[in-house]
Amino acid sequence: VKPDFKTEEMTDCYGQYKSRIGVIQIQPDICGQELSNTMLHEILHACCYSSGLNQAKSCLKEEDDEEIVVNQLTNYLMGAFRDNPWLLDFLKNNMNKNKDSV
């Protein structure tokens, strides 16, 4: 979803996950690795929220803790995808296969 960061005073952000409406917003002027990294980063924020990892009394309850974990996981996953070009196709091609279709 195209964001309106200026009205939310977030002009320095590449993207954001808005949990109340379940939307990822990404700056329209980024592309390439920056765009891919931002999308994965925001997906991981959505995972933290959906799984409850950032709720009170949870391991990522502090916003800074969540940001550190999401940043590190994003960077390592992007590295794994970059260094193993076959990996994304492998995951996509196998996610719906059962034992009998191999």
Side-chain angles (χ1 to χ4, degrees):
V1 173
K2 187 176 179 180
D4 187 2
F5 290 113
K6 289 181 182 176
T7 62
E8 297 179 31
E9 298 180 19
M10 297 178 67
T11 55
D12 60 334
C13 292
Y14 290 116
Q16 68 179 345
Y17 171 62
K18 298 186 94 175
S19 59
R20 289 186 182 203
I21 57 175
V23 169
I24 290 174
Q25 297 177 324
I26 297 178
Q27 290 283 13
D29 57 342
I30 62 173
C31 60
Q33 185 174 343
E34 203 170 57
L35 175 60
S36 297
N37 187 287
T38 301
M39 178 61 84
L40 182 57
H41 178 98
E42 298 308 330
I43 288 170
L44 290 176
H45 276 299
C47 292
C48 288
Y49 176 80
S50 297
S51 65
L53 288 171
N54 62 359
Q55 293 180 359
K57 298 184 182 179
S58 192
C59 59
L60 300 177
K61 67 180 179 199
E62 301 297 328
E63 190 174 330
D64 288 347
D65 293 341
E66 179 181 342
E67 194 62 32
I68 289 168
V69 169
V70 166
N71 274 333
Q72 293 301 320
L73 287 174
T74 300
N75 292 337
Y76 277 93
L77 284 169
M78 289 296 289
F81 297 146
R82 183 196 60 229
D83 295 344
N84 301 281
W86 55 270
L87 183 55
L88 287 174
D89 286 335
F90 174 84
L91 294 172
K92 287 190 304 186
N93 292 332
N94 287 286
M95 70 174 45
N96 293 319
K97 288 184 180 178
N98 59 36
K99 191 169 85 173
D100 299 328
S101 66
V102 176

